Structure formats: structure tokens, C-alpha cells
Amino acid sequence: MNSPLKMLYLLALTSFLSLTAAGCSKVAEAIDCDQMCDKMRSCIDNDIDVRDCAERCEDRVDDSALADKLDACTDCLDHGVSCRDVSDDCSVCDEVQAALTP
């Protein structure tokens, strides 16, 4: 393969992989937002509209610090923490909840 053709191939491959990784990150954030909002509805307020909450979450999670906290929170919730124990066992969720409250 010629050097320019090889460079073009590598550039295209790198661009594709970068776009794919960014897309996967957005999907993971959307899943985390849905999980967090569903937990808020079941533990805090049964009237929370999960879809509206998740959209608000996705808008606010662009802040990487909040994204990291959301990820840590949902990782903790994945361990089956009860509503009563969320504040004690998953304290990072309190910060995420505060950021998502309108």
C-alpha cells in the first residue's frame, strides 16, 4: 500500500472509531439517566415523569463531573440498594439527584 493511501485509510479508521466511541458514551449516559430517574420515581416521588427527568439528565450530564457522578451512582444502584439505603450506601446519588431536580 502506498504511503498516502495508507495514511488515508488510517485516518478514516481513526475517525470511525472516534465517532463510534462517542456514540456509545451517549447511549450509556442515556441508560444511566433512565435508571437514575426511575429510581428517583420509585424512592422519592411517584409523580416524577421519568422521560422528562431523563431528558433533563441527558442535557445536564454533558458536564463531565456530573457524568462521572451519574456513572458512579448507577454502578452503586446496580448492587440492588434499597430505597432506604441509597443515601447511606450510594451518597454520590444525592449530588446527582440535586442536579436533576428542576
Side-chain angles (χ1 to χ4, degrees), residues 31-100:
I31 291 169
D32 286 348
C33 284
D34 284 342
Q35 181 183 2
M36 178 65 191
C37 291
D38 189 53
K39 191 69 165 184
M40 286 172 60
R41 183 189 67 206
S42 63
C43 292
I44 300 169
D45 182 356
N46 216 20
D47 292 330
I48 289 176
D49 184 323
V50 173
R51 193 178 101 225
D52 287 346
C53 174
E55 287 176 8
R56 191 170 46 255
C57 174
E58 289 175 44
D59 289 342
R60 294 180 183 173
V61 87
D62 286 336
D63 168 20
S64 63
L66 183 57
D68 292 342
K69 290 176 184 175
L70 175 64
D71 191 42
C73 172
T74 55
D75 286 349
C76 184
L77 295 175
D78 286 341
H79 294 289
V81 176
S82 70
C83 290
R84 188 181 67 203
D85 296 331
V86 169
S87 290
D88 293 332
D89 295 349
C90 305
S91 60
V92 69
C93 293
D94 293 340
E95 295 176 53
V96 176
Q97 177 190 335
L100 298 182

